[in-house]
Amino acid sequence: MTIPKALRGIAGELRRPIRMSGVRTAAADRPWWARVLYGLSLPIVLGWLVVVGALNIAVPQLETVIDQHAKSFLPDEASAVQALVKMGDHFGGGGSNNFVYLLVEGQQPLGGPARDYYDAVVHKLTADERHVSSIMNLWSDPDLAPAAQSADGRAAYGLVNLTGNMGTAAAMESTRAARDIIASVPAPEGVSAHITGPSAVVNDELVAISDSILRLIILCSVLVTAVLLAVYRSLVTALVPLITVAASLGGARALIALFSQMELISVSIFAAALSAVVVLGAGTNYGIFLLGRYQEGRRRGLDSEAAFYAALSGVAHIIIASALTVAGAMACLTLTRLSIFSTSGLPCTIAIVVTLCAALTLGPALLAILIRMGYVEPRGDGSARRWRRIATAVVRWPGPVLTGATAILLVAIAFVPMYQPSYDERRAQPTDSPANVGFAAADRHLPPNVMAPSVVIIEADHDMRNPADLIALERLTAAIAGLDGIDTVQGMTRPLKAPIAQGTLASQAGYIGSRIEQSAALLNARLGDIEAVEAALDGLDGSARELSSALSQGQSGAGDVVSAMTVLKSEAVNLTSKLAIVQDASEPAVNVLRGLPQCQSIEVCQGALTGFSLIDDVRGLDELSAKVEQGTTAAAAALPHAASQIPAITSAITQVRQVIQPLKSSLQALIPQTTEITAFLDEVSRSYAEGAPSTGFFLPAQAIDSPLFRSAVPYFFSSDGTVTRMVVTPEIEGFSRQAMDLSERVIPAALGAIKGTSLQGATVSIGGPGGTLLNIESFAHEDFIAIAVAAFAFVFCVVLVLLRSLVAAVVVIATVGISYLAALGLGVFVWQNLVGNPLHWAVAPVAFSFLVAVGADYNMLLVSRMKEEMAAGTSTGLIRAMVGTGSVVTTAGLTFGVTMFAMLGSSATNIAQIGTTVAFGLVIDTLIVRSVMVPAIARLCGRWFWWPTAFVRMPAHAGPASPTLDPTRNAREERLHT
């Protein structure tokens, strides 16, 4: 291409942008729509550029729209989603399944600065109510901190519930916001924090796909350009499909973004990547179909304009049918339930419809402009002879050729039984993704899979915060913990991942033993008291006997005393009467003495007065003697009664002895027995503590009131006590097939454990990686069946309408299925056996959709051409069809295959695996199925290949002449038919 020639051509087009003469000229071989495309080619090209440019200016970029409208990774009705949403509802969350872990790691054991940093991050996360629903912050609770810290003290973590269901735009925004918060808090030296966990893994996987879309588009474009330049050896010729594809991609992405923004369709990052690849591959194919048919016409001697119309007439229906098959197969993805598939259906359908419009308008318009400028002329075609030899061999030996092709495909298909889909989303993204970096940090300090546990939710119709239900919960917990592959279970009865000490049989036996030991000590003390009482009773008995003897002797003495007191009283009365006479007689003298002055100071006077006063004192002697007489008389009467009570006292002492003696004997026998019971309970406690520490759970009232239990209640019980959760950590990789199988056994084990307990009838559900992957496996299986049935049915109908042959349509569909199985087998061999990274679970369904649609395209092009050439005879028509389409289909298939191989440039492994598997299928379909298998089957079937369409045998000369076959060769081909 020279610049002056190009400039002259452009100037000529600008001078005559509309060529109405060509539009008005009607001809049988020039349909009106083809004439419009030829006459209005420049306005059509400019119109496409304007529309695509305007759309991309007016509509936000697709990635931006996806960030705002991405859908949930799993359907909302999935049991794993429901379990985690239920947990969010009942534990202070926002009802989402977007649970991640905040992990803090230190190079040294985490001290005060690390705790302050952790608390600051938690505080800021809690304050961000838009993105953070709740935090299970065990590390900040002194009683529960050991359960959230590594054994070496260098790592601690907390469970964070972010807003937005996993995989949605809101979830990815919340994850970014949480990481931004971590970045905004200065970390102490040697301390780092991570947001990781299952939801973070899924979100980071989608981010990895998003980040690689632009790289994929550039890489695909470069490779497609290189292939087209190698094939056509002309940049101008390559521009026809390249510009068409660029416009298709720009228009499709803008329309997908617009419809998604208007919420007419759902879209995802995965859909954006697939739709881009679909446009690049299919758009390039359609351009190659058009160019190939145009250059074939030029080689037959047609002028450029005639070749243009012949090319459009020859491939337009193939392009339409091809686009319909691809669009229909992609649309079948909308019947699925997993968003990775369902959100890809309509975007890819829109993309292929835009590509079809561009292929039928922009591509022909570009071709018209370039051929008027003198470009796009065919170069020497050395491939015709090669394809003629291949076609001749197929016609001559269809059986051996079919057998050989089938054998090659069977070798590849032999690897299909080894297919073990991978559900490890961590391996589907780079090892340096933030989530994987967090997992690596956890693995350095914590037991395996602490960051990828399952969560078991138990929901009852009553408050479970009582001893009876706690027994049932511990029984359930023990049943789950007893499953092979379970490492720990953390729940209400095991807040520190081990049963509460007060609730175990070992603890309770030890507690009872200690109380009995205390009682035995008290019994020993009381036995000593009883022996002291016995000694006191002996002394009391002796004293009573001595008192009885003394009382007997005192009774006779008491009578003598009474008699003496009677005499004494009589004498006292006589004395008192005589003293009264004396006192009366001395009264005057006493008065005289009292009247003397200074009598008190005269000793004789004072003595006289004192003497006379004694008479008054002696006069009371008679009253005193009377009282003494009365007392002695009463005492004498009481002594016999007191003596009579002594036998009763001695009898009571005897009775007390009779009671104490058996009690003493019983205590003497009981004390050794309590010692034996204490020893037995100590042995039970020690044995269960060593052998089965969690056996025999019962939580007494004092344990329920303990600080540990009270601290754990808000984290493991809902506010009303009707819902509790358990964190189940497996011993095996959480994203593995084994973990899925293990999770499948959890619910039956839990339900079996609570059968016949107070929790019988409670609902048990499981979330986390294991439950989520089980849901994915179930949905993916159902979705694959839906895709296969719908895609096969749709593509079959399109092929049947196009070819109008039931047998041909069956052959096309069957060979496409065989091609898919061979591609899947090669994918298994390469990725699973060689690379050691099994195919992601999404690879098989997506690859099927691609290969059924695209593989059918190539077969349709071949079989449709065979139908055109049938007038020349079956063998001749077959050879002509293979020669005419061989290089075109091979170029298209290899170009599309290279496009798919370019997906290896994605940082997401699942995208790379889809690309390579589809590329394997395209190469197989191009080089084996379309090249030899379908022609061999057609040759073996003969005219039955076109049943039930009736064909009339026409002479060879009636068929269109082939530029690659001389008359001698045509005659030889006719002989091959016979």
Side-chain angles (χ1 to χ4, degrees):
M1 179 181 74
T2 62
I3 295 177
K5 179 181 178 182
L7 293 176
R8 287 194 300 271
I10 294 173
E13 290 297 318
L14 292 176
R15 284 194 301 269
R16 293 186 60 193
I18 299 176
R19 302 171 186 269
M20 295 303 298
S21 59
V23 176
R24 296 191 185 97
T25 303
D29 59 346
R30 298 185 179 186
W32 65 268
W33 54 270
R35 300 197 304 271
V36 171
L37 291 174
Y38 189 84
L40 303 179
S41 53
L42 185 58
I44 289 173
V45 172
L46 295 178
W48 265 95
L49 297 179
V50 170
V51 171
V52 171
L55 281 173
N56 280 272
I57 293 173
V59 180
Q61 287 298 305
L62 180 57
E63 288 73 20
T64 303
V65 175
I66 291 172
D67 284 344
Q68 300 170 352
H69 297 84
K71 299 301 180 182
S72 177
F73 190 74
L74 273 174
D76 291 341
E77 65 270 19
S79 60
V81 174
Q82 290 297 312
L84 294 181
V85 167
K86 187 181 298 182
M87 183 171 75
D89 285 336
H90 289 281
F91 290 90
S96 79
N97 68 337
N98 188 16
F99 283 85
V100 299
Y101 277 96
L102 167 63
L103 175 71
V104 175
E105 180 191 23
Q107 296 178 359
Q108 301 296 329
L110 301 175
R115 284 188 175 273
D116 293 340
Y117 169 66
Y118 176 85
D119 291 339
V121 172
V122 169
H123 177 74
K124 293 193 72 172
L125 287 172
T126 305
D128 186 6
E129 296 181 357
R130 178 184 174 188
H131 300 109
V132 180
S133 296
S134 65
I135 300 178
M136 188 176 178
N137 183 17
L138 301 183
W139 198 46
S140 296
D141 190 312
D143 293 319
L144 301 173
Q149 181 172 311
S150 63
D152 62 5
R154 297 185 181 186
Y157 57 91
L159 184 64
V160 183
N161 182 202
L162 301 177
T163 57
N165 275 346
M166 182 172 57
T168 62
M172 289 188 283
E173 179 185 349
S174 299
T175 304
R176 284 195 298 268
R179 286 172 175 155
D180 290 342
I181 288 174
I182 290 176
S184 68
V185 179
E189 184 178 357
V191 176
S192 60
H194 310 273
I195 291 293
T196 187
S199 294
V201 167
V202 173
N203 294 334
D204 287 354
E205 179 183 350
L206 298 177
V207 170
I209 296 174
S210 177
D211 291 343
S212 63
I213 287 179
L214 181 59
R215 182 168 64 251
L216 280 179
I217 293 174
I218 294 174
L219 184 57
C220 288
S221 300
V222 170
L223 291 177
V224 168
T225 302
V227 171
L228 292 177
L229 289 176
V231 172
Y232 297 116
R233 289 168 288 175
S234 169
L235 177 60
V236 176
T237 304
L239 287 177
V240 174
L242 290 177
I243 294 176
T244 304
V245 166
S248 302
L249 186 60
R253 284 171 55 85
L255 285 177
I256 293 170
L258 177 62
F259 293 155
S260 177
Q261 194 174 37
M262 297 171 64
E263 297 188 353
L264 298 176
I265 63 172
S266 298
V267 71
S268 65
I269 293 294
F270 194 78
L274 290 185
S275 61
V277 175
V278 166
V279 171
L280 286 167
T284 304
N285 276 359
Y286 301 155
I288 291 173
F289 291 171
L290 180 62
L291 286 174
R293 197 60 180 264
Y294 169 77
Q295 292 185 345
E296 181 185 349
R298 293 291 288 153
R299 291 191 184 97
R300 290 208 316 262
L302 299 177
D303 61 65
S304 59
E305 190 171 346
F308 172 83
Y309 289 115
L312 275 182
S313 301
V315 300
H317 63 293
I318 298 298
I319 293 175
I320 293 173
S322 170
L324 286 177
T325 59
V326 177
M330 293 295 105
C332 292
L333 292 173
T334 60
L335 302 175
T336 60
R337 301 170 71 183
L338 288 172
S339 65
I340 194 172
F341 301 140
S342 61
T343 59
S344 300
L346 290 180
C348 289
T349 302
I350 292 171
I352 204 65
V353 169
V354 173
T355 304
L356 171 63
C357 294
L360 294 179
T361 57
L362 179 59
L366 285 171
L367 179 60
I369 292 172
L370 291 178
I371 62 177
R372 287 197 296 265
M373 294 172 62
Y375 296 108
V376 200
E377 291 305 306
R379 299 178 182 271
D381 186 14
S383 64
R385 285 191 214 84
R386 182 171 61 254
W387 281 107
R388 178 175 48 77
R389 287 195 296 268
I390 294 173
T392 302
V394 171
V395 170
R396 181 172 295 171
W397 302 293
V401 168
L402 179 60
T403 302
T406 303
I408 294 173
L409 296 180
L410 288 177
V411 171
I413 294 173
F415 293 99
V416 173
M418 304 178 189
Y419 173 55
Q420 296 178 348
S422 170
Y423 295 89
D424 190 350
E425 302 300 332
R426 289 180 59 188
R427 300 185 71 173
Q429 59 190 279
T431 56
D432 60 351
S433 69
N436 275 338
V437 170
F439 268 97
D443 291 341
R444 286 192 288 268
H445 307 284
L446 296 165
N449 305 306
V450 170
M451 296 292 102
S454 293
V455 179
V456 175
I457 306 295
I458 299 97
E459 186 173 13
D461 57 0
H462 61 274
D463 191 341
M464 293 182 282
R465 293 170 295 186
N466 59 78
D469 286 340
L470 289 172
I471 292 174
L473 286 176
E474 172 56 25
R475 184 175 177 181
L476 183 151
T477 304
I480 296 175
L483 294 175
D484 290 338
I486 296 295
D487 184 21
T488 60
V489 180
Q490 184 181 19
M492 190 60 253
T493 62
R494 304 185 182 196
L496 300 180
K497 302 182 181 180
I500 296 176
Q502 298 96 320
T504 62
L505 177 61
S507 174
Q508 292 165 9
Y511 172 76
I512 296 172
S514 65
R515 296 301 296 269
I516 292 178
E517 188 175 5
Q518 294 174 5
S519 300
L522 291 175
L523 290 176
N524 271 316
R526 298 292 78 78
L527 182 61
D529 294 340
I530 289 174
E531 290 175 347
V533 169
E534 278 188 316
L537 287 175
D538 290 341
L540 181 61
D541 186 45
S543 299
R545 295 180 184 282
E546 292 176 0
L547 178 60
S548 177
S549 175
L551 289 175
S552 297
Q553 295 175 1
Q555 287 183 16
S556 59
D560 295 338
V561 171
V562 170
S563 299
M565 287 304 300
T566 302
V567 174
L568 179 60
K569 178 183 178 185
S570 176
E571 294 296 330
V573 171
N574 292 332
L575 177 60
T576 301
S577 62
K578 291 178 179 180
L579 287 175
I581 297 171
V582 173
Q583 186 178 22
D584 293 338
S586 60
E587 182 67 28
V590 172
N591 292 333
V592 171
L593 290 174
R594 289 177 178 168
L596 290 177
Q598 305 295 325
C599 182
Q600 295 294 331
S601 61
I602 301 173
E603 182 177 359
V604 176
C605 183
Q606 180 65 32
L609 289 174
T610 302
F612 283 119
S613 65
L614 290 175
I615 295 175
D616 293 332
D617 295 336
V618 173
R619 290 181 64 180
L621 185 61
D622 58 346
E623 295 178 1
L624 178 63
S625 61
K627 291 180 179 180
V628 172
E629 181 187 17
Q630 292 176 356
T632 55
T633 302
L639 285 175
H641 178 71
S644 68
Q645 297 300 315
I646 295 300
I649 293 173
T650 55
S651 175
I653 292 173
T654 302
Q655 291 176 1
V656 171
R657 276 204 186 97
Q658 292 174 350
V659 172
I660 288 178
Q661 189 59 41
L663 178 61
K664 178 182 177 181
S665 300
S666 299
L667 288 177
Q668 287 174 338
L670 181 61
I671 289 173
Q673 294 176 6
T674 57
T675 303
E676 292 177 4
I677 292 173
T678 302
F680 172 75
L681 290 173
D682 288 342
E683 183 181 1
V684 169
S685 175
R686 184 173 59 255
S687 300
Y688 274 98
E690 295 174 355
S694 61
T695 302
F697 183 86
F698 170 72
L699 209 60
Q702 59 267 33
I704 294 178
D705 293 333
S706 68
L708 175 61
F709 188 90
R710 291 186 176 275
S711 297
V713 165
Y715 296 113
F716 297 103
F717 270 126
S718 62
S719 58
D720 60 359
T722 59
V723 177
T724 186
R725 61 181 171 182
M726 300 176 183
V727 180
V728 181
T729 305
E731 296 175 343
I732 50 184
E733 169 59 45
F735 290 93
S736 65
R737 172 77 256 178
Q738 293 80 3
M740 294 167 60
D741 295 337
L742 179 60
S743 297
E744 197 171 15
R745 301 201 305 270
V746 167
I747 292 180
L751 293 176
I754 60 177
K755 185 177 181 180
T757 70
S758 58
L759 291 181
Q760 183 169 339
T763 60
V764 181
S765 53
I766 185 171
T772 299
L773 295 179
L774 282 174
N775 287 157
I776 289 176
E777 180 185 39
S778 175
F779 288 138
H781 178 71
E782 295 173 4
D783 290 350
F784 196 1
I785 294 175
I787 293 171
V789 173
F792 265 142
F794 184 85
V795 174
F796 177 79
C797 291
V798 172
V799 175
L800 184 62
V801 170
L802 177 69
L803 302 179
R804 299 181 182 180
S805 168
L806 180 62
V807 175
V810 170
V811 169
V812 168
I813 294 300
T815 53
V816 166
I818 294 173
S819 176
Y820 164 74
L821 291 176
L824 183 63
L826 286 179
V828 171
F829 172 71
V830 171
W831 285 101
Q832 182 172 307
N833 296 353
L834 297 183
V835 179
N837 187 359
L839 292 178
H840 188 267
W841 55 269
V843 172
V846 175
F848 178 84
S849 300
F850 268 99
L851 291 176
V852 166
V854 179
D857 293 351
Y858 303 149
N859 288 341
M860 281 193 299
L861 182 64
L862 170 65
V863 177
S864 177
R865 186 62 179 271
M866 288 168 53
K867 186 176 180 180
E868 292 180 19
E869 302 288 352
M870 275 300 297
T874 302
S875 298
T876 302
L878 180 58
I879 293 174
R880 289 180 179 180
M882 291 183 64
V883 173
T885 62
S887 62
V888 173
V889 174
T890 301
T891 301
L894 294 180
T895 303
F896 204 162
V898 167
T899 303
M900 301 306 294
F901 273 125
M903 295 173 73
L904 284 168
S906 173
S907 54
T909 305
N910 50 2
I911 296 294
Q913 291 178 337
I914 289 173
T916 51
T917 303
V918 174
F920 289 148
L922 292 172
V923 171
I924 290 171
D925 198 75
T926 301
L927 301 182
I928 299 177
V929 175
R930 196 276 317 170
S931 298
V932 295
M933 178 172 277
V934 173
I937 294 174
R939 177 69 179 87
L940 290 171
C941 292
R943 289 187 172 274
W944 283 103
F945 187 76
W946 304 105
W947 185 88
T949 303
F951 283 92
V952 178
R953 179 177 175 82
M954 300 178 64
H957 59 79
S962 173
T964 60
L965 297 173
D966 58 28
T968 305
R969 290 172 180 156
N970 285 344
R972 185 166 60 249
E973 290 158 7
E974 284 305 306
R975 288 196 299 272
L976 287 173
H977 174 64
T978 61

